[in-house]
């Protein structure tokens, strides 16, 4: 994001689009506003493969056979869906013209075939359905010209779409009399109007009606939205039998969970108690819908005063003073001494050393109070906090989970704040805690210091699966090389170089070998492509886009991608690419975990524009593509919560400044969603950053994300080598961003060469060998 006023540790570049109706919210009112981006993108990109992309599967003869089998399976399933839709349309036409209904005959034959097959094999094979389809399709194709002419066209009908758009708008506003039901009843989106009709009368609808709707629209997000709405309405009405009848496990939102576990109180009391306790033990207020559940559990003795005290401490940690006061009023006089101690430490964290160890009935209150006080003191004064902990730790009776959390906090803040007096305790404690995040932080600290012996020591302390990651193998190689163990260094570099990531590519550079992309085959047969276009989800998605409901279209698409088989998700990604839906293709691969499908994950989106403005501004076009891919996942309508817009996530103020420098009119906020405008201004801005840092793409990319003032400060204190500079960047978001963008540019350049990485270089010689210090900053 360009021009962000604040960079938060671990923040995500792109935020999620709302996908479900929570707490009575109507999801079908969600338009694809320009402040929303595609559903699954950067949460996954930032966590599942921040810069070390997942290790790919090996493609060999077995892999090709498996791919062929999966394609055949997909074709069979898609054919079933498409042909069934065709047969049904033809059947309706015949019945309308007065001819016999063949559906019953087809159904009887299918049942006989399946029953015979299941008696021999409990898992019927595809050929059974093929025989049924062949028989029914042959019968359907023998229809006369009159019946065939009545089959609905697969083409676009603007009048029907307009009627559907008007009907959906009317349904949202409950203007039922304005809906022309006859005009929409055969439209692929008719279910959306039916959703609103049923949702509007949920108070009187039966569970059977809701279940029938969910069954009929099970391949659409409409099913989950209806289930959620019905759970809320039935819960409000106390219709708990109906609520359980339509549920398929624990709901996702707190209010629905409260209703759900209330419904289970007299049916499955143990589950209700477990769920209720989980809802209780949070440091924030819960919906009023939880009150009956909490009251019932209190009467049953499941929730006690001790639970109230523990929640009170969680609320204090969370800064929820109102909830603290509310909970405190629920404690009787036997807790007064504990409350007095809480009041003492509340105003002075250092008073944690004076907390009595026998507070509350049975002496059970001291542990929670000490843990909460340590939470605050560690953040306020880490060095004093460790001193206090050393005094009280041997004497405190506190659960192992709480003790571990306190010490984890102490170790973390001691390292990130570089508290030198705490370092000995940290190094002694880390092996016992054995938390990967702390050991990784310790390695990063050792790298920044150039203490190569400690890099080796702490690398070997990682769990084997974590240690095998390219990131840590690279640093093990660097440390071993610095310590003179060339054989160990080469072994580590070779392991790292197998990975598709910044450090994997850096390791390959150390070895002088081409990069390994480990790219999966993304070939989809022509038949698969044709059948995919006939799938209901595709037809609904396209219809929603035609009527301007892009947000709903994406919900349809990503629901299918997350639920479908791998071969079906592959076909959807391929279809999205062929339609030019680049952002949707990327999100499809993420939802389906298709990490090695590089042509779909990294499409040549807006390639001509990137090439044009890259040439105009003398900027590497693949760097521009890498930035846009990281910033927006090629969604031109992306907008961050702080207002960054478009493909390259430009802040309006930054865009205005760049436009003035170009001598052109300041763009409107709407203009920033236009790819040409956004790429032109974004490429100009990154060019200015490149000029500021003498063409260095690492520093310029960091500045694009975090701002040049911060990068200037980092260069004044950072290690001079490129890899150590990147590792020393204090903001995780920027550190990951730089690694991702530069790895992505390698992938884009390689894909432009049909996957050949020969001659592709992530960094120039100057970027690899230059000094990362203030001399990198060009003086004006």
């Amino acid at each position: 994001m360009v021009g962000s006023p604040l960079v938060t540790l671990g923040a995500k570049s792109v935020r999620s689009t709302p996908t479900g109706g929570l707490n009575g919210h109507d999801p079908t009112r969600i338009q694809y506003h320009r402040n929303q981006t595609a559903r699954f993108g950067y949460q996954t990109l930032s966590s599942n493969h921040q810069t070390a992309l997942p290790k790919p599967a090996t493609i060999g003869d077995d892999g090709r056979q498996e791919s062929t089998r999966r394609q055949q399976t997909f074709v069979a399933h898609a054919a079933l869906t498409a042909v069934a839709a065709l047969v049904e349309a033809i059947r309706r036409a015949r019945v309308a013209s007065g001819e016999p209904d063949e559906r019953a005959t087809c159904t009887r034959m299918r049942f006989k075939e399946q029953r015979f097959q299941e008696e021999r094999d409990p898992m019927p094979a595809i050929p059974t359905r093929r025989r049924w389809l062949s028989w029914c399709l042959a019968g359907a194709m023998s229809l006369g010209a009159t019946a065939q002419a009545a089959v609905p066209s697969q083409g676009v009908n603007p009048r029907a779409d307009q009627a559907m758009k008007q009907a959906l708008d009317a349904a949202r506003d409950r203007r039922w009399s304005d809906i022309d039901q006859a005009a929409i009843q055969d439209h692929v989106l008719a279910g959306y109007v039916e959703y609103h009709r049923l949702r509007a009368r949920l108070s009187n609808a039966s569970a059977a009606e809701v279940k029938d709707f969910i069954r009929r629209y099970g391949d659409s997000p409409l099913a989950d939205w209806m289930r959620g709405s019905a759970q809320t309405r039935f819960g409000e009405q106390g219709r708990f039998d109906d609520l359980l009848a339509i549920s398929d496990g624990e709901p996702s939102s707190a209010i629905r969970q409260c209703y759900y576990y209330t419904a289970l109180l007299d049916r499955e009391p143990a589950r209700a108690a477990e769920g209720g306790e989980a809802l209780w033990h949070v440091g924030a207020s819960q919906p009023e819908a939880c009150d009956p559940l909490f009251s019932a559990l209190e009467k049953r003795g499941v929730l006690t005063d001790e639970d109230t005290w523990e929640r009170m401490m969680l609320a204090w940690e969370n800064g929820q003073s109102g909830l603290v006061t509310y909970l405190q009023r629920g404690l009787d006089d036997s807790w007064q001494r504990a409350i007095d101690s809480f009041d003492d430490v509340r105003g002075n964290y250092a008073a944690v050393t004076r907390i009595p160890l026998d507070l509350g009935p049975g002496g059970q209150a001291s542990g929670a109070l000490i843990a909460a006080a340590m939470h605050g003191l560690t953040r306020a004064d880490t060095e004093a906090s460790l001193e206090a902990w050393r005094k009280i730790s041997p004497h405190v009776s506190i659960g192992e989970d709480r003790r571990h959390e306190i010490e984890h906090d102490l170790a973390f803040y001691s390292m990130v704040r570089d508290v030198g007096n705490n370092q000995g305790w940290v190094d002694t404690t880390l092996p016992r805690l054995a938390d990967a995040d702390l050991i990784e932080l310790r390695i990063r600290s050792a790298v920044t210091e150039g203490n190569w012996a400690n890099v080796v020591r702490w690398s070997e302390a990682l769990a084997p699966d974590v240690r095998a990651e390219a990131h840590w193998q690279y640093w093990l190689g660097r440390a071993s090389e610095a310590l003179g163990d060339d054989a160990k260094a080469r072994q580590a570099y070779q392991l790292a170089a197998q990975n598709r990531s910044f450090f994997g590519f850096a390791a390959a550079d150390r070895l002088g070998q081409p990069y390994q992309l480990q790219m999966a085959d993304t070939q989809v047969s022509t038949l698969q492509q044709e059948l995919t276009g006939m799938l209901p989800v595709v037809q609904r998605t396209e219809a929603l886009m035609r009527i301007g409901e892009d947000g709903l279209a994406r919900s349809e698409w990503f629901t299918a991608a997350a639920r479908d088989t791998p071969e079906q998700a592959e076909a959807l990604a391929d279809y999205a690419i062929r339609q030019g839906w680049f952002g949707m293709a990327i999100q499809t691969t993420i939802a389906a975990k298709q990490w090695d499908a590089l042509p779909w994950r990294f499409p040549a989106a807006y390639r001509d524009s990137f090439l044009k403005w890259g040439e105009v501004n003398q900027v590497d076009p693949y760097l521009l593509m890498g930035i846009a891919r990281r910033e927006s996942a090629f969604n031109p309508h992306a907008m961050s919560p702080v207002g960054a817009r478009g493909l390259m996530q430009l802040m309006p103020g930054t865009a205005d400044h760049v436009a003035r420098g170009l001598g052109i009119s300041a763009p409107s906020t709407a203009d920033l969603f236009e790819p040409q405008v956004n790429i032109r201004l974004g490429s100009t801005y990154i060019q200015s950053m490149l000029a500021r840092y003498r063409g260095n793409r690492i520093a310029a990319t960091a500045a694009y994300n975090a701002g040049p003032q911060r990068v200037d400060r980092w260069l004044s204190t950072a290690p001079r080598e490129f890899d150590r500079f990147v590792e020393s960047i204090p903001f995780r978001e920027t550190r990951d961003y730089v690694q991702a963008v530069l790895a992505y540019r390698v992938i884009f350049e390689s894909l432009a060469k049909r996957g050949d990485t020969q001659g592709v270089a992530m960094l120039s010689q100057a970027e690899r060998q230059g000094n990362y210090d203030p001399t990198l900053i060009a003086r004006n």
Side-chain angles (χ1 to χ4, degrees):
M1 172 172 55
V2 179
S4 171
L6 176 66
V7 177
T8 304
L9 230 89
K12 303 297 185 283
S13 296
V14 176
R15 277 75 182 174
S16 300
T17 298
T19 56
L22 302 184
N23 301 326
H25 178 62
D26 175 10
T28 68
R29 277 197 183 272
I30 297 170
Q31 300 284 337
Y32 193 62
H33 293 306
R34 289 173 171 175
N35 64 338
Q36 297 167 330
T37 57
R39 179 179 177 188
F40 295 96
Y42 281 77
Q43 183 172 353
T44 306
L45 283 172
S46 297
S47 56
N48 288 357
H49 57 93
Q50 290 166 355
T51 54
L53 305 177
K55 186 176 180 180
T58 302
I59 304 296
D61 290 340
D62 290 343
R64 284 189 289 270
Q65 292 172 4
E66 173 66 11
S67 177
T68 301
R69 184 196 67 75
R70 289 165 61 187
Q71 289 190 7
Q72 292 172 343
T73 303
F74 168 82
V75 169
H77 283 292
L80 281 169
T81 302
V83 175
L86 176 61
V87 170
E88 175 62 12
I90 295 173
R91 183 197 67 78
R92 290 182 179 181
R94 292 191 60 172
V95 172
S97 64
E99 296 187 35
D101 184 357
E102 298 290 347
R103 180 168 62 179
T105 305
C106 289
T107 303
R108 285 194 296 271
M109 179 174 182
R110 183 185 181 193
F111 176 74
K112 287 181 65 178
E113 287 276 6
Q114 285 186 331
R115 184 174 62 183
F116 177 67
Q117 180 70 22
E118 286 166 358
E119 288 172 354
R120 295 181 299 170
D121 182 356
M123 294 295 287
I126 289 296
T128 298
R129 286 178 286 180
R130 286 181 181 153
R131 286 194 294 272
W132 168 72
L133 278 172
S134 299
W135 189 89
C136 290
L137 188 56
M141 293 306 169
S142 67
L143 294 173
T146 302
Q148 293 185 41
V151 177
S153 170
Q154 293 296 318
V156 175
N157 185 336
R159 293 181 62 185
D161 285 345
Q162 180 62 24
M164 186 66 232
K165 174 62 174 173
Q166 293 172 349
L168 183 54
D169 289 342
R172 284 169 169 155
D173 296 331
R174 301 191 180 188
R175 293 182 282 108
W176 312 120
S177 61
D178 291 347
I179 297 174
D180 185 350
Q181 192 62 41
I184 67 166
Q185 64 182 4
D186 292 326
H187 198 282
V188 69
L189 300 179
Y192 279 81
V193 173
E194 184 182 352
Y195 165 84
H196 282 283
R197 288 188 184 276
L198 180 54
R199 187 173 182 272
R201 61 180 186 85
L202 276 175
S203 296
N204 300 314
S206 67
E209 290 178 277
V210 174
K211 289 174 68 176
D212 178 65
F213 182 93
I214 291 171
R215 176 187 59 79
R216 288 185 291 112
Y217 296 102
D219 67 335
S220 167
L222 288 171
D224 286 339
W225 295 340
M226 179 55 67
R227 177 181 282 112
S229 295
Q231 285 170 332
T232 300
R233 187 62 54 82
F234 292 169
E236 291 169 347
Q237 295 179 301
R239 295 168 54 185
F240 295 125
D241 287 336
D242 288 345
L243 186 152
L244 293 175
I246 64 166
S247 297
D248 61 347
E250 182 185 73
S252 57
S253 73
I255 189 170
R256 291 170 189 160
Q257 288 173 11
C258 290
Y259 286 135
Y260 178 74
Y261 287 115
T262 301
L264 289 177
L265 278 170
D266 295 327
R267 296 160 183 82
E268 297 183 50
R271 280 186 63 198
E274 182 180 3
E277 286 187 288
L279 287 163
W280 176 265
H281 286 279
V282 296
S285 296
Q286 293 285 35
E288 289 183 6
C290 296
D291 291 347
L293 173 63
F294 293 157
S295 295
L297 294 177
E298 287 173 359
K299 291 178 181 178
R300 297 180 183 189
V302 174
L303 292 179
T304 65
D305 284 348
E306 184 178 340
D307 293 301
T308 298
W309 177 259
E310 290 185 358
R311 188 179 182 197
M312 184 175 153
M313 295 301 102
L314 291 173
W316 180 38
E317 288 182 15
N318 206 30
Q320 299 292 314
S321 58
L323 180 58
V324 169
T325 302
Y326 170 79
L327 292 168
Q328 184 174 316
R329 288 199 298 263
L331 297 172
D332 60 29
D333 292 343
S334 64
W335 288 84
Q336 189 58 52
R337 184 163 164 260
I339 293 171
D340 291 341
S341 292
F342 168 62
D343 288 339
D344 289 341
V345 78
R346 193 177 188 180
N348 178 17
Y349 289 130
V352 65
T353 57
R354 300 194 300 271
I355 293 176
L357 303 181
D358 59 348
L359 294 176
Q364 299 301 310
S366 299
L369 178 56
I370 289 171
M374 286 298 302
H375 177 274
L377 182 57
T378 298
R379 286 154 179 78
D381 187 338
T382 307
E383 186 171 355
S385 184
L386 178 57
E387 184 179 350
W389 181 242
R390 281 173 159 164
K391 289 179 180 178
I392 65 177
S393 175
H395 314 292
V396 173
S397 177
I398 194 170
E400 285 304 312
D401 288 346
R402 281 195 177 125
R403 185 177 293 273
H404 189 104
E405 184 177 354
I406 290 169
E407 295 186 344
H408 182 283
D409 270 5
L410 279 167
F412 176 81
Y413 283 99
S414 294
M415 286 189 285
V416 298
R417 292 173 174 174
D418 194 22
V419 183
N421 289 339
N422 290 10
Q423 192 60 60
W425 176 87
V426 169
D427 285 352
T428 301
T429 305
L430 288 190
R432 176 168 53 79
L433 295 177
D435 291 329
D437 64 321
L438 296 179
I439 296 175
E440 291 171 7
L441 186 56
R442 186 66 183 90
I443 296 171
R444 289 188 56 243
S445 175
V447 166
T448 301
E449 296 166 357
N451 189 329
W452 299 115
N454 268 342
V455 171
V456 172
R457 172 191 173 187
W458 293 110
S459 296
E460 292 176 348
L462 289 167
D465 59 328
V466 179
R467 186 167 65 247
E469 294 174 6
H471 191 167
W472 310 117
Q473 284 298 312
Y474 176 84
W475 286 119
L476 180 60
R478 281 280 275 121
S480 299
E481 187 176 18
L483 294 172
D485 192 340
D486 292 342
K488 187 174 182 179
R490 184 171 185 79
Q491 181 184 32
Y493 286 146
Q494 287 174 336
L495 288 172
Q498 296 174 20
N499 193 270
R500 186 179 58 232
S501 68
F502 176 87
F503 285 107
F505 297 154
D509 286 338
R510 288 271 174 180
L511 296 170
Q513 66 185 39
Y515 305 137
Q516 298 295 311
L517 292 186
Q518 303 289 357
M519 183 167 59
D521 180 13
T522 55
Q523 292 297 317
V524 174
S525 70
T526 302
L527 178 57
Q528 278 181 284
Q529 292 175 347
E530 292 174 353
L531 290 172
T532 300
M534 301 169 70
L535 292 173
V537 64
V538 175
Q539 295 177 5
R540 290 194 300 268
T541 298
E542 292 181 330
L544 286 164
M545 287 183 170
R546 291 197 303 270
I547 66 173
E549 299 284 353
D550 288 8
L552 296 180
R554 291 171 185 274
S555 291
E556 282 278 358
W557 194 265
F558 300 139
T559 296
R563 292 177 178 175
D564 277 351
T565 62
E567 57 271 11
Q568 290 169 329
E570 289 170 4
L572 288 178
D574 172 77
Y575 189 88
I577 289 290
R578 289 186 288 110
Q579 298 301 312
W581 303 341
F582 302 116
M584 289 175 67
I586 292 168
Q587 306 304 338
T588 301
T589 64
I590 294 167
K593 298 181 174 59
Q594 298 166 336
W595 308 127
D596 301 327
L598 300 189
W600 297 334
R601 289 186 57 215
F602 299 93
Y606 311 100
R607 182 175 182 273
D608 291 344
S609 294
F610 285 116
L611 290 174
K612 172 185 174 180
W613 293 111
E615 182 178 3
V616 168
N617 289 306
Q618 292 299 291
V619 178
D620 172 8
Y622 300 116
L623 177 67
L624 297 178
M625 295 176 74
I627 290 172
R629 173 61 174 79
R630 177 69 176 186
E631 289 283 1
S632 66
F634 289 144
N635 171 17
H637 302 297
M639 187 167 116
S640 76
V642 296
R645 290 167 164 82
L647 287 172
M648 299 186 71
Q649 288 290 276
L650 292 168
M651 293 292 290
T654 302
D656 290 351
H657 175 76
V658 173
R660 284 197 300 272
L662 292 172
I664 61 176
S665 300
S668 67
T669 53
D671 290 338
L672 293 179
F673 296 112
E674 295 298 328
Q676 281 280 355
V677 174
N678 197 279
I679 293 171
R680 180 185 185 183
L681 296 176
S683 62
T684 302
Y685 182 79
I686 190 65
Q687 191 278 333
S688 70
M689 293 298 99
L690 288 165
R692 183 187 187 98
Y693 298 110
R694 305 183 187 277
N696 187 285
R697 289 171 297 180
I698 290 178
T701 302
Y704 194 94
N705 178 260
Q709 291 77 19
R710 289 192 176 100
V711 175
D712 289 355
R713 289 200 303 270
W714 297 340
L715 287 170
S716 67
T717 58
R720 294 189 173 188
E721 296 96 326
F722 83 89
D723 48 3
R724 293 175 63 210
F725 170 75
V726 171
E727 195 68 84
S728 72
I729 292 174
F731 296 160
R732 178 178 177 179
E733 162 64 17
T734 305
R735 193 167 61 248
D736 290 348
Y737 182 92
V738 169
Q739 295 172 41
V741 167
L742 292 171
Y744 290 176
R745 77 150 305 282
V746 167
I747 294 171
F748 280 120
E749 183 179 357
S750 301
L751 289 176
K753 298 171 63 178
R754 299 183 180 275
D756 182 9
T757 64
Q758 194 72 41
V760 176
M762 182 172 67
L763 302 173
S764 67
Q765 182 175 356
E767 289 167 333
R768 287 196 303 270
Q769 298 180 359
N771 288 334
Y772 286 75
D773 59 22
T775 64
L776 193 62
I777 305 171
R779 302 299 178 185
N780 295 327

